[in-house]
Amino acid sequence: MPPKPPSTPGPSQTPSSAAGMGGSSAAGIPHAPGVPRPPNAQSYPSTPTTPGGPHGGTGGASISSAGAGGTVGSGTVTPTTPGNIGGTPSNTQSTYTQADLNRIVLEYLLKKGYSKTEQMLRMESSNAMGGTPSPPSANNDTKTSQGTLLKSTTDDPQLYIRAYVSLRDWIETSLDLFKPELRKLLFPIFVHTFFYLIQKPDTKSPPDTSLARKFFDTYSGDHSILHGHDLQLLSGLTLPEHLQENETAKLYRQNKYRLNISRTTFDLLLHFLDENERNGGPVTIRLINQYIETNVIPSRPDRNDARNQTLGDDEGIPGHITGRETNFNQQTIRLGKFPMDERMIREVELRLKEEDSRSQQEHSELGVLPGSKTLMQEFQELHKQEPEADAPVRDILPLPPFNGANVEAEIAAVKDARSRLKIGPIEASLPSVCMYTFHNTYDGLNCLEFSEDSTLVAGGFADSYVKVWSLKGEKLQSVVKGSTPSPSKRLVGHAGPVYGASFSPDNRYLLTCSDDKSARLWSMDTYTALVSYKGHNHPVWDVTFSPNGHYFATASHDQTARLWSCDHIYPLRIFAGHVSDVDCVTFHPNSTYVLTGSSDKSCRMWDVAKGTPVRVMLSHHAPVSSICVSPDGRTLASGADDGSIILWDLGTGKQIKTMRGHDRNTSVYSLSFSREGTVLVSAGADGSVRVWNVKVGSTIPTSADGVVGGITAAVSGTTTSSGAADSDKVVSSVNGVVTTATGTVQGVSTASQKQSASMIGRPAPVVATADQMAAFMTKKTPVYKIKFTRRNLCLAGGAFMGTS
């Protein structure tokens, strides 16, 4: 999806990690993929630092010494007034004795690790007082000092909270390379901090249960996805007695939590804790030593390894299953095709037989041999008589009776399937790409959408209107009497910028969503608004029709996605669980599941019938900006704001591979699978269309220039292919020009000779993975939408961003 400008103040944002749910609220503002979000407010601020550092600053007492090599003088010390260090002494006299001064200085030196200075001071102090010098850093005084320091340091409940918040904030600001391993450490620290707040070691003071409850409610959302079950069992703990009765609490207190961590990450952690002593570093070290068993691996973390996102089989508490999202993703789901109505099957077969007989008669009259497949054979291949084992039951999704428009749409789909260009499934090949460039949009075009039959294109604008063009070059005619045909139709009705659009499968309707918190249904017969759907509390970022055309889904800034029916003005389901904006939404091909991508860097799969999540997919390091499901319903592709694309196995919820080629820190706006599911195309803010081989499993870069095996690029709107030898260069083009009120829409697609990456005119900023088949570059046109037609032609569109 293209980036969206900020709008009105939005809902509360939860200060949690990408994997979290829930948490406390803090003020937030609407945002869009690719637009930086202001930092979330924190319930517990970080530990304030003392002005002037540990050695100075205002308000401190001035301690006089006897000069270089001297000893601390006996008697009292006169403190200076704040802001007048070394100035006139005040009238108030301190009652510090020599022993008190020695103890204070020794404790300070010991705390800072100045062991040699501490030893020298002990000896000189003892000599000056005429006593016998105690052994420097010996068992008695030193251990007493250490015990005093440790007790004074670890008895403060607020220090435990600051220690957790400090560690949490540091992890979230660390490099993405180290975040996954460090986040695994955060949960046991959270649990044992919560336990300490319930029951403090000092039994004389009553436990501050309100502080423990506030801490739990604020930060439990950081771990709800991976540890939701444990959090639910611990959520009822309020009294110290509960810690002795709760089985989960006893399990965590009596067993060490195992973690595997790389040497580099472990060294960074120790350095941070050592440098942040005032923010509770010693507290965190004590909790790690007492409750966590770390297995340091002599290697560096791999950010492409999905396993470092969750606990391994040898991690966690032995015998206790937690922290593994795969347990959540083991719910049974049905990914097979949705069965067609038996009456509709008979009706379509009857019509197709008539088409086949008419076609055979025409071929016999012309003396031309018929094609390899009849329409009836093609239909039977598309809809096998025997249902798949994991196909959903038809009664699970209420649908209206079929009508003539459904039959006509199915017949058109069968004809397109027979005429489809095969680019798989055995070996993937390059598709043809038709690029439409929109001129004179003045940065107002927010989104694009192509119709299913590839005859219309709709654009949503920041000026609150929608514009529809014909891709066939024909004028659009309304069925309303007295209307005038025109090259484009302007749909006015929204009260804010339009961010998303979707055509119905039968191409008779158009859905749009807007900053005005609503979605609207438009008729493509009259080009007028039919219904306004209101239910979201904040701007709606995306909208999509279901494959059956009866339901649709919306994604909003209010952190929810919602399911709607065209004949109801209120939502049927509210999918709540993301902890940030839901930026994109799509349906599974069988219409029984909805998939969402969010700014919390996660993707979720929701059961339409139950309204609950059945899959949670975590691995992205940036907000998810686009998602797409393969035609067979087995694979999900998700693109993020950092230019990465991840393929997921929906059956298991596991990551298949990560694909890279788009520029860093540029959003992947749109994704689309070929009809065979072997090729994936992506469009991004870097002005490129990239083709990926889904079946290639390697993610290892093969060249430094981003070009794999003679892969070609597009220059000035021309796509090039390396499929033919230089002596067999074939150039074909499809040109369409549509005149509009504001300018022209131009579409150009060519397949021509091989070119090297040096002819592109712009260096590749990232190393492409081996599964990238081609990269087609535009000059100054971010590609907002890309889509495979039913005949495997690839349509793309974007707004030209040249200088005015």
Side-chain angles (χ1 to χ4, degrees):
M1 293 173 56
K4 310 171 188 67
S7 55
T8 56
S12 60
Q13 300 296 330
T14 305
S16 63
S17 63
M21 286 187 354
S24 65
S25 298
I29 62 171
H31 86 295
V35 179
R37 178 193 302 280
N40 296 330
Q42 304 292 339
S43 298
Y44 295 103
S46 301
T47 305
T49 57
T50 304
H55 299 286
T58 60
S62 174
I63 301 177
S64 301
S65 64
T71 61
V72 178
S74 60
T76 60
V77 177
T78 303
T80 59
T81 58
N84 189 26
I85 302 299
T88 306
S90 63
N91 295 329
T92 304
Q93 296 291 330
S94 175
T95 59
Y96 287 125
T97 64
Q98 178 64 45
D100 293 334
L101 290 177
N102 288 347
R103 181 178 56 81
I104 292 173
V105 176
L106 289 174
E107 287 181 357
Y108 174 79
L109 294 176
L110 180 64
K111 181 179 179 181
K112 289 302 179 180
Y114 302 140
S115 57
K116 293 184 178 180
T117 308
E118 179 230 359
Q119 296 173 10
M120 185 63 66
L121 181 58
R122 282 181 181 277
M123 296 181 64
E124 292 186 351
S125 177
S126 300
N127 293 334
M129 298 177 63
T132 304
S134 61
S137 299
N139 294 333
N140 298 330
D141 293 344
T142 304
K143 287 186 177 180
T144 302
S145 299
Q146 289 177 341
T148 303
L149 285 175
L150 182 61
K151 189 173 187 301
S152 62
T153 300
T154 59
D155 276 354
D156 184 10
Q158 292 290 343
L159 185 61
Y160 276 75
I161 297 176
R162 291 200 303 269
Y164 175 81
V165 173
S166 176
L167 179 64
R168 172 182 177 270
D169 294 343
W170 175 72
I171 291 175
E172 291 306 312
T173 57
S174 299
L175 294 177
D176 291 341
L177 182 66
F178 307 108
K179 278 184 181 180
E181 288 187 329
L182 292 171
R183 282 172 177 164
K184 293 189 295 185
L185 176 72
L186 202 57
F187 178 68
I189 299 296
F190 166 82
V191 169
H192 290 287
T193 300
F194 176 58
F195 290 167
Y196 176 80
L197 295 178
I198 293 178
Q199 183 177 24
K200 295 185 291 186
D202 187 4
T203 57
K204 295 181 180 180
S205 59
D208 191 355
T209 55
S210 62
L211 188 63
R213 174 53 49 191
K214 183 179 180 182
F215 174 80
F216 185 88
D217 294 341
T218 302
Y219 297 108
S220 61
D222 294 353
H223 318 283
S224 56
I225 291 182
L226 296 181
H227 307 276
H229 181 67
D230 285 0
L231 290 175
Q232 184 177 4
L233 297 175
L234 298 175
S235 60
L237 302 181
T238 55
L239 300 175
E241 292 76 12
H242 295 166
L243 298 178
Q244 308 298 328
E245 301 170 357
N246 187 279
E247 294 296 330
T248 305
K250 291 193 294 184
L251 190 67
Y252 276 92
R253 298 181 72 190
Q254 296 173 3
N255 298 273
K256 283 199 171 185
Y257 196 92
R258 297 179 180 177
L259 284 178
N260 298 328
I261 187 169
S262 63
R263 169 58 64 182
T264 306
T265 308
F266 187 71
D267 292 342
L268 289 175
L269 175 65
L270 291 182
H271 178 74
F272 165 76
L273 297 176
D274 183 64
E275 292 294 324
N276 286 266
E277 185 176 353
R278 295 179 62 85
N279 286 350
V283 168
T284 305
I285 293 177
R286 187 185 70 82
L287 293 178
I288 293 176
N289 291 334
Q290 187 172 354
Y291 298 109
I292 300 177
E293 179 182 338
T294 56
N295 177 27
V296 181
I297 302 173
S299 64
R300 295 189 61 187
D302 182 8
R303 67 177 298 177
N304 297 329
D305 188 0
R307 293 173 299 177
N308 61 14
Q309 300 289 322
T310 56
L311 293 179
D313 295 335
D314 58 341
E315 293 182 298
I317 296 178
H320 180 60
I321 301 177
T322 183
R324 301 174 179 89
E325 65 183 276
T326 53
N327 297 316
F328 179 85
N329 291 340
Q330 288 176 356
Q331 301 179 64
T332 302
I333 58 176
R334 296 184 175 272
L335 301 178
K337 291 185 178 180
F338 192 79
M340 185 181 290
D341 191 337
E342 293 293 337
R343 293 176 299 171
M344 182 174 174
I345 291 178
R346 291 193 294 269
E347 181 70 22
V348 172
E349 288 180 345
L350 181 61
R351 294 282 303 275
L352 292 179
K353 288 179 181 178
E354 295 177 357
E355 292 278 349
D356 287 336
S357 61
R358 189 183 306 112
S359 177
Q360 290 177 0
Q361 184 178 357
E362 293 177 356
H363 283 114
S364 61
E365 292 176 357
L366 297 175
V368 180
L369 294 176
S372 59
K373 281 185 182 180
T374 63
L375 293 175
M376 189 63 185
Q377 291 173 340
E378 188 70 33
F379 177 74
Q380 290 176 349
E381 288 187 6
L382 292 176
H383 302 277
K384 297 179 181 179
Q385 298 299 327
E386 297 182 1
E388 298 177 276
D390 61 346
V393 181
R394 181 171 175 81
D395 296 338
I396 198 174
L397 195 65
L399 293 174
F402 74 94
N403 52 33
N406 301 131
V407 176
E408 293 294 336
E410 183 63 29
I411 293 175
V414 173
K415 291 181 179 179
D416 288 336
R418 188 177 66 170
S419 304
R420 180 185 304 157
L421 174 65
K422 302 297 187 296
I423 57 176
I426 299 177
E427 183 177 355
S429 57
L430 290 175
S432 298
V433 180
C434 179
M435 175 69 192
Y436 291 86
T437 301
F438 288 72
H439 294 270
N440 303 325
T441 61
Y442 307 105
D443 295 339
L445 182 62
N446 289 335
C447 62
L448 284 173
E449 179 64 22
F450 297 98
S451 62
E452 282 295 320
D453 60 358
S454 308
T455 60
L456 298 174
V457 60
F461 287 82
D463 293 337
S464 307
Y465 67 88
V466 182
K467 209 163 190 178
V468 182
W469 295 270
S470 171
L471 296 179
K472 300 169 65 177
E474 301 173 351
K475 290 187 177 182
L476 301 178
Q477 175 68 53
S478 172
V479 297
V480 179
K481 292 183 179 180
S483 62
T484 304
S486 59
S488 64
K489 291 294 184 179
R490 188 182 177 115
L491 311 180
V492 180
H494 280 295
V498 180
Y499 294 138
S502 178
F503 281 98
S504 63
D506 59 5
N507 308 298
R508 296 183 57 193
Y509 303 99
L510 174 68
L511 272 170
T512 57
C513 61
S514 169
D515 184 77
D516 62 8
K517 311 173 189 177
S518 72
R520 286 181 178 265
L521 183 69
W522 309 82
S523 171
M524 292 296 98
D525 295 328
T526 62
Y527 299 101
T528 56
L530 301 178
V531 189
S532 177
Y533 303 94
K534 298 180 180 180
H536 282 289
N537 302 321
H538 294 277
V540 185
W541 297 136
D542 195 17
V543 64
T544 182
F545 260 112
S546 66
N548 56 48
H550 182 65
Y551 299 97
F552 67 93
T554 54
S556 172
H557 173 58
D558 62 11
Q559 303 178 5
T560 67
R562 306 195 182 206
L563 178 73
W564 310 74
S565 173
C566 291
D567 54 1
H568 290 76
I569 61 173
Y570 52 84
L572 306 179
R573 295 285 186 273
I574 298 178
F575 305 120
H578 285 291
V579 297
S580 188
D581 291 31
V582 183
D583 296 319
C584 48
V585 62
T586 190
F587 275 89
H588 190 271
N590 64 18
S591 298
T592 59
Y593 299 100
V594 169
L595 294 103
T596 55
S598 170
S599 291
D600 65 10
K601 309 174 187 177
S602 71
C603 300
R604 292 179 179 240
M605 184 176 180
W606 309 82
D607 190 321
V608 168
K610 300 177 181 178
T612 57
V614 293
R615 293 290 184 271
V616 176
M617 288 151 282
L618 311 169
S619 274
H620 278 292
H621 301 284
V624 180
S625 55
S626 58
I627 54 176
C628 179
V629 184
S630 61
D632 63 0
R634 310 288 175 178
T635 307
L636 170 69
S638 58
D641 284 350
D642 60 359
S644 65
I645 301 172
I646 296 180
L647 293 184
W648 309 86
D649 181 359
L650 289 179
T652 62
K654 294 182 179 180
Q655 176 182 346
I656 299 175
K657 62 176 179 177
T658 300
M659 303 182 294
R660 288 186 175 83
H662 285 282
D663 289 355
R664 294 185 180 89
N665 301 323
T666 58
S667 298
V668 179
Y669 287 153
S670 182
L671 297 166
S672 181
F673 279 96
S674 65
R675 293 297 166 172
E676 297 84 3
T678 57
V679 173
L680 176 72
V681 290
S682 61
D686 58 356
S688 70
V689 171
R690 298 179 185 267
V691 185
W692 310 89
N693 191 334
V694 175
K695 300 302 180 182
V696 175
S698 173
T699 60
I700 302 175
T702 59
S703 63
D705 57 3
V707 180
V708 181
I711 295 304
T712 59
V715 183
S716 303
T718 301
T719 63
T720 63
S721 172
S722 60
D726 291 344
S727 59
D728 297 327
K729 294 176 183 176
V730 179
V731 179
S732 62
S733 64
V734 178
N735 296 289
V737 178
V738 182
T739 305
T740 69
T742 58
T744 61
V745 181
Q746 292 183 326
V748 180
S749 173
T750 60
S752 61
Q753 72 275 16
K754 185 192 303 184
Q755 294 185 356
S756 64
S758 60
M759 299 178 64
I760 299 177
R762 51 187 296 183
V766 296
V767 179
T769 50
D771 40 22
Q772 177 176 297
M773 301 172 61
F776 306 140
M777 309 298 299
T778 63
K779 286 186 176 179
K780 295 181 179 180
T781 305
V783 186
Y784 291 168
K785 182 67 178 180
I786 193 161
K787 182 177 183 178
F788 269 107
T789 67
R790 293 190 295 214
R791 298 191 179 188
N792 267 343
L793 171 66
C794 189
L795 303 180
F800 182 70
M801 295 295 182
T803 56
S804 58

